[in-house]
């Protein structure tokens, strides 16, 4: 059936530009003031490019050029591009954590689109929280939307050895602390690990979320795998510029794309990539904006049967540049086609199945055929039990296999500062069987649920050769991290979850196969501790932090603000 195309007078921007009244006179005259002629904007779709470029975001340094390429495509297709800066959440720099500000960017994106004469938008993001935030905002506003993912940076290099973002920072930091490399080596690694624009090139949160967004149907087929420095990336950006104009005429909105099946496709993709655990929080939040219920149980059910095919660090050996040369996401998805709903529509104006048709794996070492899967399942696991009544997550493939079933005494840190002060204390009563517990690192406690979940191994154990231990927290963990780290414990300790009740020496049992996380303390004793528990003082008395604390939901609900979930429509602004 032919798609009905909008008429120019049906464009949302027509309310600003097309009316014959004093306000429209102002809108037109002020557009002339910017140097545009009537023929450049009158009757054309107005396309916002939400650009998360910033001088302090190294992953987005190429966005100034990409914006020009997107604009080129928009002009070519007969649209009117308007670049709109939005807060840049720069993972390496922003404190206490970019996660504190994900919802702020989501709100900014939504309100930019609502308050201006916008017909459709291009979302330009990549560094970890930027893509989920932009998609959350655009989903709530529900204008035609296309995503230009930032793309991964090139492989790192040190003395001819390949370096991967994050993963090799942790690895060589442990070696430096263990005394097996020196300061000079460390400086060379510092200078070689990030050598081009683009996002972390391991399967961190940025690469995972970009792939998830493509699988959801919000990016052009193959777009998420292109390295930022590759000229194909610029061509993809221009193609997105052309396509968004058509999307406006076709009125193809996120609400039509973001179905329960599309979210299943995204989950399957994340699992086959052995993607970042952060993606769970983001996908739950994104689904919440689309009115789709995505319980943690859905992740666990799919994780049991989705094979891990991407041999990409930290779970595997290669990097995103290799993944692209091996065929990229289209090749991976074509290998999973019996598990996916191929009828889901995408922004390309075709089905997911049509978008991956003909894709082939060029390097089966990097993208494994099904018969040689890295693992038959287990990209993620969702745990339950008396220590995490509302769930916790672990990435089994990044853990030491021998620790996936473990019972040991807790060594408890009340918060991050307590941990930093004592972790390397030679007197700390800890051995390789201990279970390290970090409290006050959740959505409220961190605040912002920082990526502290890969607690450092105590130095005295590093020197004994210990490289992994069971670690439990209500924090998140960088997608580039690894280890037997139980994360996202809900409810968090700061609001009185059972994690707050753990004391030094308590026996904790982790059994990933049984999906069990258990605190072996008598219920009567737990009740006694619960009655004595006092909530910690609030972090913020005013400002955005206070708003955050009042409205943030727990990890199993996606850490969105409670008032931003899908619900009653927000009225269009009056334009008088
Ligand atoms: Fe930007 Fe990792 S620091 S994506």
């Amino acid at each position: 059936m032919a798609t009905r195309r909008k008429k120019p007078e049906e464009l949302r921007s027509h309310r600003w530009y097309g009316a014959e009244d004093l306000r429209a006179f102002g809108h037109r005259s002020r557009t002339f003031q910017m140097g545009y002629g009537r023929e450049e904007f009158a009757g054309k779709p107005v396309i916002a490019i939400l650009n998360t470029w910033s001088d302090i975001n190294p992953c987005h340094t190429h966005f100034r050029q990409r914006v020009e390429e997107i604009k080129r495509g928009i002009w070519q297709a007969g649209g009117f591009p308007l670049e709109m800066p939005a807060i840049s959440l720069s993972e390496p720099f922003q404190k206490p954590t970019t996660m504190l500000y994900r919802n702020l960017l989501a709100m900014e994106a939504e309100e930019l689109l609502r308050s201006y004469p916008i017909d459709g938008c291009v979302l330009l993001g990549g560094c970890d929280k930027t893509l989920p935030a932009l998609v959350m905002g655009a989903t709530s506003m529900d204008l035609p939307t296309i995503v230009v993912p930032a793309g991964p940076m090139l492989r790192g290099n040190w003395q001819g050895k390949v370096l991967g973002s994050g993963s090799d920072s942790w690895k060589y930091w442990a070696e430096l602390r263990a005394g097996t490399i020196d300061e000079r080596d460390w400086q060379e690694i510092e200078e070689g690990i990030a050598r081009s624009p683009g996002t972390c090139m391991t399967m961190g949160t940025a690469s995972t979320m970009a792939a998830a967004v493509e699988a959801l149907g919000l990016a052009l087929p193959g777009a998420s795998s292109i390295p930022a420095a590759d000229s194909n990336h610029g061509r993809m950006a221009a193609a997105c510029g052309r396509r968004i104009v058509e999307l406006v005429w076709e009125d193809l909105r996120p609400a039509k794309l973001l179905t329960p099946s599309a979210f299943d496709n995204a989950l399957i993709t994340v699992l086959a990539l052995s993607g970042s655990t952060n993606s769970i929080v983001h996908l739950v939040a994104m689904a919440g904006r689309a009115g789709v219920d995505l319980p943690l149980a859905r992740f666990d059910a799919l994780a049991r049967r989705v094979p891990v095919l991407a041999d990409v660090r930290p779970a595997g050996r290669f990097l995103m540049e290799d993944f692209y040369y091996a065929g990229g996401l289209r090749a991976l998805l074509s290998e999973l086609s019996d598990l996916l709903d191929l009828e889901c529509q995408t922004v390309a104006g075709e089905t997911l199945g049509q978008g991956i048709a003909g894709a082939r794996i060029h390097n089966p070492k990097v993208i494994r055929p099904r018969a040689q899967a890295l693992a038959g399942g287990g990209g993620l696991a969702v745990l339950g039990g008396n220590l995490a009544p509302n769930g916790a997550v672990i990435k089994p493939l990044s853990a030491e296999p021998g620790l996936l079933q473990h019972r040991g005494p807790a060594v408890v840190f009340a918060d991050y500062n307590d941990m930093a002060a004592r972790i390397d204390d030679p007197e700390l009563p800890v051995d390789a069987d201990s279970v390290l517990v970090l409290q006050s690192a959740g959505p409220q406690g961190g605040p912002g649920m920082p990526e502290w979940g890969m607690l450092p191994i105590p130095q005295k154990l590093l020197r004994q050769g210990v490289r992994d231990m069971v670690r439990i927290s209500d924090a998140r963990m960088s997608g580039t991290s690894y280890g037997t780290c139980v994360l996202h414990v809900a409810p968090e300790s700061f609001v009185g979850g059972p994690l707050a009740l753990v004391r030094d020496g308590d026996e904790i049992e982790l059994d990933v196969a049984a999906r069990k996380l258990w605190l072996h303390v008598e219920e009567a004793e737990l009740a006694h501790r619960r009655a004595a528990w006092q909530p910690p003082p609030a972090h913020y008395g005013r400002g955005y932090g206070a708003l955050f604390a009042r409205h943030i939901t727990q990890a199993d609900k996606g850490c969105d603000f409670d008032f931003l979930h899908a619900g009653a429509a927000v009225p269009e602004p009056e334009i008088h």
Side-chain angles (χ1 to χ4, degrees):
M1 196 175 70
T3 314
R4 180 187 174 273
R5 292 175 69 81
K6 267 192 172 166
K7 300 191 180 88
E9 57 274 22
E10 292 175 311
L11 292 172
R12 183 172 180 268
S13 60
H14 185 78
R15 295 173 57 217
W16 276 260
Y17 281 127
E20 293 307 326
D21 58 20
L22 184 58
R23 291 305 297 156
F25 164 87
H27 302 142
R28 289 190 295 264
S29 68
R30 293 299 178 155
T31 305
F32 292 135
Q33 182 185 9
M34 293 189 281
Y36 294 108
R38 199 178 301 271
E39 67 285 359
E40 292 182 282
F41 66 89
K44 300 191 171 192
V46 179
I47 308 296
I49 306 168
L50 299 191
N51 185 1
T52 51
W53 175 89
S54 156
D55 256 339
I56 199 164
N57 195 330
C59 307
H60 295 182
T61 47
H62 55 315
F63 279 9
R64 291 218 260 204
Q65 188 183 336
R66 291 296 171 270
V67 160
E68 296 310 314
E69 288 148 348
I70 295 165
K71 285 182 181 173
R72 189 176 84 218
I74 294 170
W75 287 122
Q76 284 167 352
F80 178 44
L82 292 174
E83 180 184 353
M84 294 186 167
I87 182 174
S88 192
L89 309 180
S90 178
E91 202 62 31
F93 290 100
Q94 203 163 22
K95 296 197 187 307
T97 161
T98 50
M99 188 62 183
L100 187 69
Y101 298 105
R102 184 198 66 181
N103 298 346
L104 183 65
L105 173 55
M107 290 170 73
E108 185 186 15
E110 179 179 347
E111 300 307 326
L112 279 172
L113 298 176
R114 176 171 293 116
S115 55
Y116 285 111
I118 305 302
D119 297 305
C121 64
V122 180
L123 306 179
L124 191 46
C127 192
D128 282 25
K129 315 303 178 292
T130 54
L131 275 191
L134 290 169
V135 169
M136 287 160 70
T139 301
S140 291
M141 188 51 202
D142 200 30
L143 296 178
T145 296
I146 195 165
V147 173
V148 174
M153 66 177 105
L154 301 177
R155 300 183 196 97
N157 176 63
W158 173 52
Q159 297 180 351
K161 293 190 193 64
V162 171
L163 292 177
S165 314
S167 305
D168 278 323
S169 319
W170 324 127
K171 176 176 148 187
Y172 287 111
W173 176 241
E175 299 305 333
L176 183 71
R177 277 158 43 88
T180 54
I181 63 168
D182 62 21
E183 276 297 335
R184 190 187 160 138
D185 294 326
W186 182 241
Q187 278 182 22
E188 287 177 4
I189 292 166
E190 214 168 71
E191 290 161 14
I193 198 165
R195 62 187 187 93
S196 85
T199 52
C200 293
M201 76 318 238
T202 38
M203 191 52 71
T205 305
S207 299
T208 307
M209 288 312 302
V213 163
E214 183 179 325
L216 278 170
L218 292 174
L220 291 181
S224 66
S225 311
I226 308 171
D230 193 303
S231 57
N232 283 298
H233 198 270
R235 286 198 285 279
M236 178 270 291
C240 288
R242 289 189 291 274
R243 183 64 196 141
I244 186 63
V245 178
E246 286 306 301
L247 283 173
V248 170
W249 292 127
E250 294 165 10
D251 200 26
L252 186 57
R253 298 162 182 253
K256 295 180 186 164
L257 304 174
L258 300 182
T259 60
S261 296
F263 277 99
D264 268 3
N265 286 343
L267 262 56
I268 289 166
T269 302
V270 166
L271 292 164
L273 294 169
S274 190
S276 162
T277 44
N278 285 328
S279 64
I280 302 175
V281 180
H282 297 320
L283 282 166
V284 170
M286 288 157 66
R289 296 300 188 99
V292 172
D293 185 32
L294 202 56
L296 292 184
R298 188 68 189 143
F299 288 82
D300 197 64
L302 288 170
R304 289 174 190 267
R305 62 186 173 89
V306 174
V308 178
L309 301 184
D311 197 341
V312 176
R313 297 188 205 179
R317 297 172 293 167
F318 297 97
L319 295 175
M320 287 305 294
E321 196 180 338
D322 308 299
F323 183 75
Y324 177 59
Y325 302 146
L329 190 69
R330 289 177 66 249
L332 179 116
L333 295 183
S334 69
E335 196 65 17
L336 295 166
S337 49
D338 57 312
L339 299 176
L340 298 165
D341 184 340
L342 298 177
E343 294 306 310
C344 286
Q345 292 292 312
T346 77
V347 288
E350 57 187 13
T351 63
L352 183 69
Q354 289 168 323
I356 62 174
R360 283 191 300 118
I361 296 173
H362 305 304
N363 185 344
K365 289 192 186 131
V366 181
I367 301 175
R368 304 283 191 93
R370 288 283 274 278
Q372 288 135 40
L374 220 60
L380 294 167
V382 178
L383 309 172
N386 71 347
L387 195 46
N390 294 343
V393 303
I394 187 169
K395 198 168 168 184
L397 293 181
S398 297
E400 175 62 40
L403 290 173
L404 293 175
Q405 187 173 21
H406 181 83
R407 184 168 168 156
V411 175
V412 182
F413 301 101
D415 57 28
Y416 183 84
N417 290 336
D418 180 32
M419 181 194 72
R422 294 196 295 127
I423 192 80
D424 287 337
D425 183 343
E427 302 302 315
L428 186 73
V430 65
D431 62 27
D433 286 333
S434 302
V435 173
L436 303 180
V437 173
L438 175 63
Q439 298 168 329
S440 277
Q444 297 258 9
M449 208 180 170
E451 292 183 337
W452 296 335
M454 191 176 82
L455 280 73
I457 306 293
Q459 195 162 29
K460 68 177 180 185
L461 297 183
L462 281 173
R463 293 210 165 111
Q464 293 165 21
V466 177
R467 290 293 184 271
D468 197 4
M469 297 174 71
V470 174
R471 293 161 265 183
I472 300 174
S473 71
D474 41 20
R476 294 175 300 114
M477 164 173 104
S478 163
T480 62
S481 299
Y482 50 87
T484 312
C485 302
V486 176
L487 310 159
H488 308 188
V489 169
E492 65 177 308
S493 58
F494 196 86
V495 300
L499 195 68
L501 309 180
V502 185
R503 305 235 174 113
D504 281 337
D506 288 349
E507 285 282 311
I508 294 179
E509 181 188 357
L510 169 68
D511 186 342
V512 174
R515 303 297 196 257
K516 181 179 177 188
L517 186 66
W518 202 265
L519 177 62
H520 285 277
V521 173
E522 294 294 327
E523 185 46 47
E525 170 61 17
L526 287 179
H528 175 69
R529 292 183 193 177
R530 201 173 290 118
W533 180 80
Q534 294 288 328
H539 290 293
Y540 300 100
R542 63 167 297 283
Y544 174 74
L547 175 86
F548 180 94
R550 258 198 301 280
H551 295 288
I552 191 75
T553 59
Q554 289 289 293
D556 58 309
K557 301 293 181 212
C559 298
D560 202 356
F561 291 157
D562 49 13
F563 60 88
L564 292 175
H565 287 294
V570 178
E572 279 278 323
E574 297 297 332
I575 55 170
H576 303 296

